[in-house]
Amino acid sequence: AGGCLHLAMEFVNLEGLRLDGRRPKETRRMRCVMTVLPAADGSATFEAGNTKVLAAAYGPREAPLRSDALHDRCVVKVEFSQAAFSSDQRRRRGKGDRRSLELGRVITRALETCIMTELMPRSQIDINVVVLQSDGGVRAAAMNACVLALADAGVPLRDTMASCSAGYLDGTCILDINHLEESGGGPEIHVASLVNLDKIVLVQSDHKCAIDVFEPTHALALEGCKVVALVMREAMLRRTKDLAATRAAEML
């Protein structure tokens, strides 16, 4: 029944508007908050529409197990989980479920490109990621929350890594897809980029698609990364100003 509903559903209407009122190339409203968990070295939440992800970073610190330590760079470990209350789906995705483990590995690989790991040999950074609300674009939101948490912890980064998704439905490329659009069955492209360096860190597609669909959808996701990066940088700048104001007050 659900499949029939999606086949009959119009994701982009004749006026060029999506079901939530956005234009095809429009992101959802984003909100970033840093230093949300004082006990962590760095923490942040990233929201895109009704999707909200929390990330907490610990380190860099000496690797707890000597066998884990690498002499030439820092080890990055990511633990991804989804809160039981994050969506209306009954199945809970804890930190041990297969999809959570795979997403944790994907995020780790992307962050290893972003972090200047060579500056911190024989050390380890642990990042815990929890999806608090899930309404599509979870992978991108998780990566963005991790980058903000790392910046909050003062971890040296090569650039602001931003992540965004795009899909293809009703013959139209659409940016920053929500859960309903994800369930439409069209191709999805997930991209993470070091925006200033103009370097693509990650490209993932959940469905096979023709090259004439892939190329414009991928290009749109890449443009979305630039929009996301601006929002993230604003949050980092606010955090820097707050820290400067606090230190100035302490000196008085």
Side-chain angles (χ1 to χ4, degrees):
C4 296
L5 175 69
H6 291 138
L7 285 173
M9 191 175 287
E10 187 180 62
F11 289 96
V12 182
N13 67 21
L14 294 173
E15 285 76 40
L17 296 177
R18 293 150 73 175
L19 292 167
D20 58 7
R22 285 184 290 152
R23 298 272 175 200
K25 296 181 179 181
E26 193 177 339
T27 63
R28 292 173 287 181
R29 184 189 64 83
M30 287 175 275
R31 183 168 181 257
C32 310
V33 183
M34 298 173 73
T35 322
V36 291
L37 296 174
D41 293 317
S43 59
T45 55
F46 181 90
E47 296 177 52
N50 292 323
T51 292
K52 182 175 183 177
V53 180
L54 166 70
Y58 301 89
R61 55 192 178 188
E62 188 178 345
L65 297 174
R66 188 172 289 183
S67 57
D68 284 351
L70 297 173
H71 75 280
D72 59 344
R73 65 181 177 89
C74 175
V75 173
V76 180
K77 294 196 173 185
V78 176
E79 195 173 85
F80 177 96
S81 62
Q82 197 154 321
F85 52 78
S86 63
S87 72
D88 56 6
Q89 294 177 0
R90 289 188 183 181
R91 190 178 167 213
R92 182 186 175 189
R93 291 194 183 279
K95 60 187 178 186
D97 116 50
R98 200 171 117 190
R99 184 169 179 269
S100 295
L101 290 171
E102 176 57 28
L103 278 173
R105 284 191 287 267
V106 168
I107 295 167
T108 300
R109 286 197 296 270
L111 292 176
E112 284 173 341
T113 306
C114 175
I115 299 168
M116 300 174 80
T117 54
E118 69 279 5
L119 299 181
M120 301 163 284
R122 298 184 181 85
S123 63
Q124 182 171 313
I125 297 172
D126 294 281
I127 307 163
N128 292 332
V129 188
V130 183
V131 179
L132 302 176
Q133 292 172 209
S134 176
D135 184 31
V138 163
R139 188 175 339 200
M143 288 193 197
N144 296 334
C146 286
V147 171
L148 289 167
L150 289 166
D152 190 41
V155 173
L157 305 175
R158 298 182 201 286
D159 189 11
T160 302
M161 186 181 80
S163 184
C164 194
S165 65
Y168 189 83
L169 288 168
D170 293 348
T172 307
C173 296
I174 54 175
L175 184 62
D176 187 20
I177 50 181
N178 61 29
H179 175 67
L180 192 58
E181 291 167 336
E182 283 182 347
S183 63
E188 296 171 33
I189 311 291
H190 307 272
V191 176
S193 168
L194 297 174
V195 176
N196 280 340
L197 297 175
D198 198 22
K199 180 179 179 181
I200 297 171
V201 172
L202 171 82
V203 179
Q204 281 193 317
S205 178
D206 289 351
H207 301 84
K208 289 182 180 178
C209 62
I211 191 71
D212 60 336
V213 170
F214 175 85
E215 286 184 343
T217 308
H218 170 262
L220 182 59
L222 206 49
E223 285 301 307
C225 290
K226 294 176 184 176
V227 177
V228 174
L230 286 173
V231 176
M232 292 171 68
R233 285 196 199 113
E234 283 174 10
M236 292 178 195
L237 191 59
R238 282 196 306 271
R239 177 64 184 140
T240 303
K241 286 179 177 177
D242 289 346
L243 278 172
T246 303
R247 283 174 185 160
E250 286 171 352
M251 291 172 71
L252 294 175

